[in-house]
Amino acid sequence: MEFLTVHSPALVVAVPLLAAFITPLISRIGNKFRDTVNVTFLSFAAFLMAVLAVDIYTSGTRIYTFGATVPELAIPEHYMVPVRIIFQVDGISIFMGLTTTVVALAALVYSLQFVKDETGQDRFYSLFMILYVGMVGLEFTGDMFNMFVFLEILSIAGAGLASYRVNLADAVEGGFKYIVISAISALLVLFAIGILYGEYNLLSIAALAHNMQFTTLDMIALALLGIAFVMKLAGVPLHMWAPDTYAVAPAGITPMIYTSSAASMYALYRITFTLYGGHFDTTAIGWIVIILGVLSMFIGVMMAIHQTDIKRLMAYHAISQSGYMLLGVGVGLAVLTDPVALAAYGRDAMNGGIFHIINNALYKGMLFLTAEAIFFRIGTRDLNRMGGLGHNMKWTTIFFIIGALAISGIPPFNGFASKLLIYESVFRFNPLLSVIAMFVSLVTLASFTKVFYSAFTGPEMSAYKEVREVPKSMLIGMGVMAAAIIFFSIFPGLVVNTIVAPATNALIDQASYINGVMGAVP
Amino acid sequence: MMPYIPYNIPFVAVALLMGVSLFIILFKRNLIKIIMGIAIMGAAVNLFVVALGYRAGGVAPIYTSTPEGAMVLPVPQALILTSIVIAVSVIALMLTMVIHTYRHTGDIDAKKSRLLKG
């Protein structure tokens, strides 16, 4: 057990990677066997993630240095700075890791039946595992260049999966948009890394933060990193790719790509809070994040109202919900240097924003899955051609209702819990922002009511008489997410205290992140 | 003061390449040209990082057989090797997507290939 705990940060990346590369081999034995192996490997990774989480919540940040004699030894003897690649897993990293893992498990189980009749399944599962590895690596790494590599890994895998159904022309187009955006943003990140390396001769995030001078060059690097990650997380005004890619990606993949956007959001927070934290005018940068958030919220939901393609509509809502996370954490960033305000409402705002990440990954992911369940059965995403599906697809309808109520922030669902935290704390920062957030929530409810009425209610349509409920594995995939949503809805306080508050602390407490690596250096 | 002029030439080239690539990506409509723009941008970034590691009169950083004197920095070169490999795979993936787009629509004009909009 001790061995597992110590090596879990590396294993949680290595195990799915192994699965990815043996998948093409073992699928020669049989598809059933391959599916079993993949689910087993991902479950094992989830188990490792749980072991790691328990360790981190009991004994603090865990460091894993690749190639060192002792994994905790970040700085080799006779050196003053870390030279090896480090995985540094703290509260926010493990929070993102848990989110990713839950979504990946549900999406994998869902995909088992969904891609059953498609060709190229072994490549689908390979890329799926690589996408998971890319996200977890991005969330765990403590090294700037490593962050770039994992960003590219998740981009390539994500783009390949988004255009998995190459027989559909729009799928290729959506995938192409995603890879172009990803390639540009990754190159911007590499450029920024070059600037930082040229200045400090360092790549480790902790060591860079320790030596940060905040010169003009650093400001340029911050701007480049900011643009790159906002592009990847689909914040307005750089959101153009998201509706296209989310709409065309196969069902299990849309939640995964959406979660990878959340991973990019984590990278943005890591850069602003940990790498640059305290060196810049946090109020100004905080306001920039807040304005980005409000724009995303408002424009996203306004674009969503008139959509007729169900997945495109949900994709615009996904952009809009990202706005809440940016708003909550942006308020925390704006008052970061003001201890009174931080204690009074900044911390709660950040709790709300971070709690919203996992809530949203769950209910948004589930809504995408229900949308694709409909597409799976009736072959269209056009809302105008749907109707009366509630008669035959009872479970899908129930899951859709849960997701729609949660995303609209209706009590007692988990969306309400995180949104309430945001409303209350943001109201004390600036009442207008809170009013906008509530208005957006109302419009969201209206929009999902429209979807519910046009897709599920009404008389049974003659064209869809033969429509049946989706296969079991797809129901299980959605059920996993629904169970998590219901759990989060019943115990929001427990969840906030155990996993969200440590994440917030990890972001605010820059010194302990630096000390985790640079502790030995005076 | 002589060395200053040759020192800066790579960075001027980086700026030029960056400008060209951004122009291509933003204003060209042919998908192949967009891919070329991204390739040029990648080249600019790679050149930038490698040029950062250059030391005047430095020798290749092979530790087992170095003569006396300054070495150029090995780390940027290692980083860029990784980045080049990644760039190749990204460009290969983009080109396959363009081939599929061409098969579906018979065109590689970004303005005409607009199945997704609104």
Side-chain angles (χ1 to χ4, degrees), chain A residues 115-124 164 166:
Chain A
V115 297
K116 205 163 171 247
D117 302 322
E118 312 264 353
T119 55
Q121 290 179 42
D122 38 349
R123 273 153 285 178
F124 177 90
Y164 172 66
V166 283

Side-chain angles (χ1 to χ4, degrees), chain B residues 32-112:
Chain B
I32 301 276
K33 285 186 184 164
I34 292 175
I35 296 177
M36 284 173 162
I38 290 169
I40 295 173
M41 195 185 218
V45 175
N46 291 352
L47 178 63
F48 172 68
V49 180
V50 169
L52 284 174
Y54 181 69
R55 298 286 175 269
V59 295
I62 303 163
Y63 276 87
T64 47
S65 63
T66 43
E68 288 292 307
M71 283 193 297
V72 300
L73 274 181
V75 177
Q77 300 187 0
L79 302 187
I80 289 316
L81 210 56
T82 317
S83 154
I84 289 171
V85 174
I86 293 173
V88 167
S89 48
V90 169
I91 287 170
L93 181 59
M94 286 198 278
L95 287 172
T96 56
M97 286 176 180
V98 172
I99 292 172
H100 279 295
T101 310
Y102 184 74
R103 279 189 193 146
H104 283 299
T105 60
D107 208 312
I108 49 170
D109 190 324
K111 281 271 148 46
K112 290 184 191 156

Side-chain angles (χ1 to χ4, degrees), chain A residues 365-506:
Chain A
M366 197 178 74
L367 285 171
F368 276 129
L369 293 184
T370 55
E372 200 75 11
I374 297 171
F375 181 70
F376 184 78
R377 277 301 183 221
I378 69 172
T380 179
R381 297 194 300 259
D382 192 345
L383 279 171
N384 294 333
R385 291 168 55 195
M386 292 175 193
L389 294 172
H391 293 285
N392 292 325
M393 302 175 77
K394 294 206 168 51
W395 283 103
T396 310
T397 313
I398 292 171
F399 291 139
F400 179 87
I401 293 172
I402 293 176
L405 291 178
I407 197 175
S408 319
I410 302 294
F413 287 98
N414 58 353
F416 172 71
S418 52
K419 281 185 180 174
L420 188 66
L421 269 174
I422 295 174
Y423 297 152
E424 277 185 344
S425 50
V426 172
F427 187 81
R428 299 181 62 185
F429 178 72
N430 187 329
L432 180 65
L433 296 177
S434 196
V435 172
I436 295 175
M438 282 184 215
F439 173 71
V440 169
S441 199
L442 276 179
V443 180
T444 309
L445 179 62
S447 176
F448 273 96
T449 313
K450 178 189 100 174
V451 177
F452 179 66
Y453 274 100
S454 39
F456 294 105
T457 58
E460 207 168 351
M461 285 168 75
S462 54
Y464 303 138
K465 270 242 157 23
E466 300 303 310
V467 169
R468 281 174 296 119
E469 186 55 272
V470 290
K472 246 196 206 94
S473 100
M474 293 169 69
L475 286 180
I476 295 173
M478 292 189 275
V480 169
M481 286 195 173
I485 291 172
I486 289 169
F487 177 79
F488 279 36
S489 309
I490 300 174
F491 305 107
L494 180 74
V495 174
V496 168
N497 287 335
T498 44
I499 69 173
V500 178
T504 309
N505 288 337

Side-chain angles (χ1 to χ4, degrees), chain A residues 114-422:
Chain A
F114 187 77
V115 297
K116 205 163 171 247
D117 302 322
E118 312 264 353
T119 55
Q121 290 179 42
D122 38 349
R123 273 153 285 178
F124 177 90
Y125 290 110
S126 278
L127 285 174
F128 186 96
M129 289 294 179
I130 293 175
L131 180 55
Y132 175 73
V133 166
M135 285 195 265
V136 174
L138 182 67
E139 287 150 6
F140 280 7
T141 188
D143 183 283
M144 287 303 284
F145 189 73
N146 210 226
M147 186 182 262
F148 161 76
V149 172
F150 280 117
L151 188 67
E152 282 283 25
I153 290 175
L154 80 82
S155 306
I156 294 172
L161 284 170
S163 49
Y164 172 66
R165 295 182 282 196
V166 283
N167 52 331
L168 308 174
D170 53 356
V172 183
E173 196 182 317
F176 187 77
K177 283 181 183 167
Y178 183 62
I179 189 78
V180 167
I181 287 292
S182 305
I184 295 171
S185 70
L187 286 174
L188 293 180
V189 170
L190 185 61
F191 199 83
I193 292 170
I195 292 174
L196 291 173
Y197 185 78
E199 217 176 333
Y200 302 109
N201 265 337
L202 290 168
L203 287 171
S204 155
I205 294 175
L208 276 171
H210 184 69
N211 293 308
M212 184 58 67
Q213 313 278 331
F214 206 58
T215 58
T216 316
L217 276 177
D218 291 335
M219 283 183 222
I220 296 173
L222 175 63
L224 287 173
L225 289 168
I227 292 171
F229 286 122
V230 170
M231 218 184 230
K232 278 291 281 178
L233 72 83
V236 173
L238 299 171
H239 65 287
M240 301 308 175
W241 62 271
D244 299 349
T245 309
Y246 291 160
V248 298
I253 301 311
T254 314
M256 291 289 277
I257 296 182
Y258 182 61
T259 315
S260 81
S261 297
S264 304
M265 185 179 288
Y266 155 81
L268 183 70
Y269 295 162
R270 181 58 88 202
I271 300 290
T272 45
F273 279 90
T274 307
L275 185 59
Y276 285 90
H279 283 286
F280 50 66
D281 179 4
T282 48
T283 317
I285 303 282
W287 268 102
I288 292 176
V289 176
I290 291 169
I291 289 169
L292 275 176
V294 172
L295 275 179
S296 303
M297 243 160 41
F298 194 73
I299 294 179
V301 85
M302 285 304 162
M303 294 294 289
I305 294 176
H306 63 88
Q307 299 297 328
T308 51
D309 179 330
I310 182 167
K311 272 189 93 184
R312 211 176 164 74
L313 181 145
M314 289 181 181
Y316 275 112
H317 280 297
I319 296 170
S320 157
Q321 298 298 311
S322 306
Y324 282 92
M325 309 167 197
L326 289 171
L327 172 65
V329 179
V331 168
L333 188 59
V335 297
L336 188 62
T337 45
D338 180 355
V340 181
L342 189 66
Y345 55 83
R347 215 172 260 275
D348 283 341
M350 285 180 66
N351 277 342
I354 292 170
F355 191 23
H356 208 62
I357 293 179
I358 194 165
N359 285 343
N360 206 41
L362 291 172
Y363 58 64
K364 192 81 236 179
M366 197 178 74
L367 285 171
F368 276 129
L369 293 184
T370 55
E372 200 75 11
I374 297 171
F375 181 70
F376 184 78
R377 277 301 183 221
I378 69 172
T380 179
R381 297 194 300 259
D382 192 345
L383 279 171
N384 294 333
R385 291 168 55 195
M386 292 175 193
L389 294 172
H391 293 285
N392 292 325
M393 302 175 77
K394 294 206 168 51
W395 283 103
T396 310
T397 313
I398 292 171
F399 291 139
F400 179 87
I401 293 172
I402 293 176
L405 291 178
I407 197 175
S408 319
I410 302 294
F413 287 98
N414 58 353
F416 172 71
S418 52
K419 281 185 180 174
L420 188 66
L421 269 174
I422 295 174

Side-chain angles (χ1 to χ4, degrees), chain A residues 22-34:
Chain A
I22 61 169
T23 296
L25 275 180
I26 58 172
S27 55
R28 294 183 167 273
I29 299 173
N31 285 354
K32 265 254 159 58
F33 181 66
R34 177 203 58 214

Side-chain angles (χ1 to χ4, degrees), chain B residues 4-58:
Chain B
Y4 277 97
I5 300 159
Y7 260 13
N8 283 336
I9 284 179
F11 298 108
V12 175
V14 168
L16 279 177
L17 286 173
M18 265 298 196
V20 169
S21 66
L22 280 178
F23 176 80
I24 294 175
I25 293 168
L26 291 177
F27 296 112
K28 290 290 170 184
R29 289 163 34 177
N30 188 319
L31 296 181
I32 301 276
K33 285 186 184 164
I34 292 175
I35 296 177
M36 284 173 162
I38 290 169
I40 295 173
M41 195 185 218
V45 175
N46 291 352
L47 178 63
F48 172 68
V49 180
V50 169
L52 284 174
Y54 181 69
R55 298 286 175 269

